[in-house]
Amino acid sequence: AFHRELTHNASIFSQIISVNTSSVQVIQNVPNDLATEIPRSLLVGFSSSNDVITILNRKEWKQQQVEDETLSLVFIVVLSSSVLQGFTCTGVRNIGNEQVKNLIKACRRSGSRKVKLVESQLTCMYTYIKDDAANFNLYPPDVLLYYDYSLVPQASCRAYFTELGNADFSVFSAALSYKRTALFENAKSCLGITNTSLTKDEISVLGNMCCILDASYILNSDSSILENLKSCPSLTSAQAAAVQAQMTNGNTRYGYAKLWTEQTLKDLGMLPLYMSSTFYDHFNTVKRIYCLTKNCFSFCVSATDCTLGFINRVTLVDLTFPLNYDISQFTSCLNSTIVKDNLDALVNQVQEQNYTKIVLSKLREVSDLEADQVQILGAMSRSATMEDINMWSIIQIDTLASLMDASNGPWDPAKAIISKYLSVKGNSLGSVELNAIGGPNLCALDDVVIRNISCVCVWRLFLHHISRKQLSPTHFNLLSPCRLFLLVTHMNIHRACCCITYEKLL
């Protein structure tokens, strides 16, 4: 009966929680990948010490957990982006306005640390800062999308639009999409724009607002507008045609088409993915063969040209993707840059093993995978070869835990994953690691590794489904119930283990 009970995750989680129900101990004892199961009632009373904040920021939280004021009060500036994205009006209703403003200011981050917020969150934030319009440079650029422009001091309008240029103009819902037009009209008034020929200076101020401009502006403006368009989440067919026309007229920094090389494709970022087949006609056979050897873009990677259209961010949200691509076209139309920049979307969309192997092969073309990328591989990781694994960064416990997640399927190379983690100086098989690895994966380890597991951690093996039936005779002798009880008692934690005796474990 004891072993049957251990097969249920709920029982395991209850055992971990029952050791000590204080908030700090709970977040220390519960593995990072199980943090989403912690009830909000246990996420109260935290101090603002660096140790507590570090532990909280290492874990992934559900929005329902982090939207509560009990978490919001702890962090402010040092909150992780994962936590900050749970901001809601409901969650901050009992917090003072100044504290809410500080929380909003903490969301002002860029690059990979940018806090991803949706319209309902941004409009809520604006209600708290609308009386502070003059200090727009203290808040996330996305919030400025919803500002009442009439409150912005006209002497500061250029600075306002410079800040707004860092916003994501794609967050507007259909109901509020009219604001894009209003924002550009206000920008034209502020900057004195009277025609479709934008100067380099005007383009530098508009920033991401260039993503909403129609084709006439792209055609007639300074060629530096192409640099701004590289960061757009998508382009319309008219915008893409205008970009291609700008490129082929020879008046950009990329020069005349006859001078284009592989480096041109790389320098253009995502723009080539929106170009028509005629754009690629400017690359002669010699250049195409050279590109093939360097694996730069997907049209060069395969002997079969991409005929269905290069896979881009828009393609990834199509409900028919990737079913509308056979293996040959999927290989030809998918490039490594798109894979690296949109890995989370591909992990969610691509499930069939033949396709996941292609995604992983594209990742190998880019570079070694950083920890945050490895952590989102999910079930796709099960298609990895040893060549893939050797390029992964597995130095953090969070990465090990994500790879060992049993819900993603069994691991044939579990031993290699664990060994790579242990090869990092300072890493060992402690209680957190054992929680993450789980029983079946531990059974793949060598005897020498098992003997080096710290005594205080042996109990964790039984909390993760290790029973006598799951262990080889050699492993079972190393971790026998009798030895377990002696070790647990010796470490003065027998009360937490409910005084399990040799006979009870048998």
Side-chain angles (χ1 to χ4, degrees):
F2 180 78
H3 291 306
R4 285 197 301 272
E5 183 181 358
L6 289 178
T7 62
H8 295 85
N9 286 336
S11 175
I12 296 172
F13 186 75
S14 298
Q15 289 275 2
I16 297 173
I17 291 291
S18 65
V19 172
N20 190 320
T21 57
S22 76
S23 297
V24 174
Q25 286 301 312
V26 166
I27 62 172
Q28 286 180 334
N29 293 338
V30 173
N32 292 348
D33 57 334
L34 291 180
T36 54
E37 303 301 321
I38 302 175
R40 289 207 322 196
S41 60
L42 295 179
L43 296 174
V44 295
F46 294 118
S47 70
S48 56
S49 71
N50 288 337
D51 289 342
V52 170
I53 293 172
T54 299
I55 294 172
L56 285 164
N57 280 337
R58 282 177 180 169
K59 300 180 185 296
E60 291 294 322
W61 301 100
K62 293 185 295 189
Q63 183 173 348
Q64 296 91 326
Q65 292 172 299
V66 299
E67 68 186 13
D68 193 275
E69 65 270 17
T70 54
L71 279 179
S72 300
L73 283 171
V74 176
F75 315 108
I76 308 302
V77 176
V78 289
L79 268 172
S80 70
S81 297
S82 169
V83 176
L84 285 170
Q85 69 183 12
F87 180 98
T88 65
C89 272
T90 303
V92 297
R93 64 187 182 278
N94 295 325
I95 303 177
N97 282 359
E98 285 305 311
Q99 289 174 306
V100 176
K101 285 184 178 180
N102 287 336
L103 193 61
I104 297 171
K105 291 175 183 177
C107 293
R108 182 183 166 86
R109 298 177 182 180
S110 59
S112 61
R113 297 180 66 244
K114 182 174 180 178
V115 181
K116 296 179 180 179
L117 301 168
V118 297
E119 187 168 82
S120 60
Q121 295 170 305
L122 296 168
T123 53
C124 170
M125 288 180 174
Y126 176 63
T127 62
Y128 282 93
I129 64 172
K130 61 184 178 182
D131 295 329
D132 194 23
N135 292 316
F136 52 79
N137 61 321
L138 300 179
Y139 301 109
D142 288 358
V143 178
L144 306 190
L145 294 167
Y146 302 92
Y147 251 52
D148 180 353
Y149 180 66
S150 66
L151 299 178
V152 176
Q154 284 305 293
S156 304
C157 75
R158 180 185 172 91
Y160 167 77
F161 283 110
T162 301
E163 288 290 332
L164 184 63
N166 295 309
D168 179 4
F169 286 77
S170 68
V171 302
F172 282 119
S173 65
L176 296 181
S177 60
Y178 68 90
K179 284 183 171 290
R180 293 193 189 100
T181 303
L183 286 169
F184 184 50
E185 290 301 318
N186 289 329
K188 289 197 296 182
S189 175
C190 171
L191 300 176
I193 297 172
T194 58
N195 53 48
T196 59
S197 300
L198 301 178
T199 66
K200 185 175 182 179
D201 178 67
E202 290 165 345
I203 289 169
S204 68
V205 174
L206 293 176
N208 292 338
M209 194 182 290
C210 291
C211 296
I212 68 172
L213 301 182
D214 62 39
S216 61
Y217 284 94
I218 298 174
L219 280 171
N220 299 321
S221 297
D222 183 86
S223 62
S224 62
I225 195 171
L226 298 181
E227 307 310 307
N228 290 33
L229 296 174
K230 289 180 186 179
S231 61
C232 299
S234 65
L235 296 178
T236 66
S237 57
Q239 287 176 317
V243 169
Q244 187 163 330
Q246 266 266 34
M247 284 290 299
T248 53
N249 69 20
N251 293 325
T252 71
R253 73 181 184 90
Y254 304 101
Y256 291 103
K258 63 182 180 180
L259 302 176
W260 292 349
T261 66
E262 173 195 8
Q263 189 60 46
T264 307
L265 290 172
K266 291 181 178 179
D267 292 342
L268 285 171
M270 294 295 101
L271 293 180
L273 299 180
Y274 300 98
M275 303 295 99
S276 69
S277 59
T278 57
F279 171 79
Y280 296 103
D281 291 339
H282 295 291
F283 294 83
N284 61 37
T285 304
V286 174
K287 291 174 184 173
R288 291 170 76 92
I289 295 173
Y290 175 71
C291 203
L292 170 63
T293 64
K294 294 296 185 180
N295 292 322
C296 61
F297 271 82
S298 54
F299 89 91
C300 314
V301 174
S302 172
T304 303
D305 282 347
C306 172
T307 59
L308 293 180
F310 293 108
I311 296 168
N312 54 42
R313 297 174 190 176
V314 177
T315 313
L316 295 179
V317 299
D318 190 322
L319 294 178
T320 62
F321 178 80
L323 300 178
N324 50 338
Y325 287 82
D326 60 25
I327 290 295
S328 175
Q329 283 295 294
F330 187 75
T331 304
S332 299
C333 299
L334 182 66
N335 77 68
S336 55
T337 306
I338 277 288
V339 172
K340 182 180 179 182
D341 293 343
N342 300 273
L343 184 57
D344 51 349
L346 283 162
V347 167
N348 290 330
Q349 289 284 87
V350 181
Q351 307 294 331
E352 207 276 320
Q353 190 175 39
N354 288 333
Y355 287 81
T356 58
K357 287 181 178 179
I358 293 171
V359 174
L360 291 172
S361 71
K362 300 290 183 179
L363 281 176
R364 289 199 301 270
E365 297 173 8
V366 182
S367 62
D368 291 353
L369 271 196
E370 297 300 324
D372 59 338
Q373 294 174 306
V374 177
Q375 290 173 27
I376 63 176
L377 286 175
M380 187 177 288
S381 63
R382 274 37 176 184
S383 300
T385 63
M386 286 306 302
E387 184 181 0
D388 294 317
I389 293 171
N390 289 336
M391 297 181 70
W392 294 352
S393 172
I394 312 176
I395 61 177
Q396 301 172 359
I397 179 59
D398 290 358
T399 310
L400 179 66
S402 65
L403 290 173
M404 294 293 106
D405 187 346
S407 67
N408 291 322
W411 254 124
D412 288 335
K415 178 179 176 181
I417 297 286
I418 300 169
S419 297
K420 185 165 186 178
Y421 174 80
L422 293 176
S423 68
V424 178
K425 184 177 181 180
N427 285 353
S428 63
L429 289 182
S431 60
V432 177
E433 286 81 1
L434 295 182
N435 278 329
I437 293 170
N441 291 322
L442 282 170
C443 294
L445 296 179
D446 295 330
D447 295 351
V448 174
V449 177
I450 291 181
R451 288 182 187 277
N452 288 329
I453 299 175
S454 61
C455 297
V456 72
C457 300
V458 178
W459 169 248
R460 301 291 183 178
L461 303 181
F462 287 86
L463 287 181
H464 280 266
H465 314 300
I466 286 192
S467 66
R468 188 170 189 171
K469 293 180 181 179
Q470 291 175 293
L471 292 170
S472 68
T474 302
H475 288 164
F476 187 76
N477 288 335
L478 292 170
L479 299 171
S480 67
C482 183
R483 181 171 180 262
L484 170 66
F485 181 68
L486 290 174
L487 293 173
V488 170
T489 304
H490 178 69
M491 298 304 294
N492 294 317
I493 60 171
H494 60 283
R495 286 190 297 275
C497 300
C498 305
C499 297
I500 302 300
T501 63
Y502 176 83
E503 291 77 11
K504 288 180 181 177
L505 285 171
L506 290 177

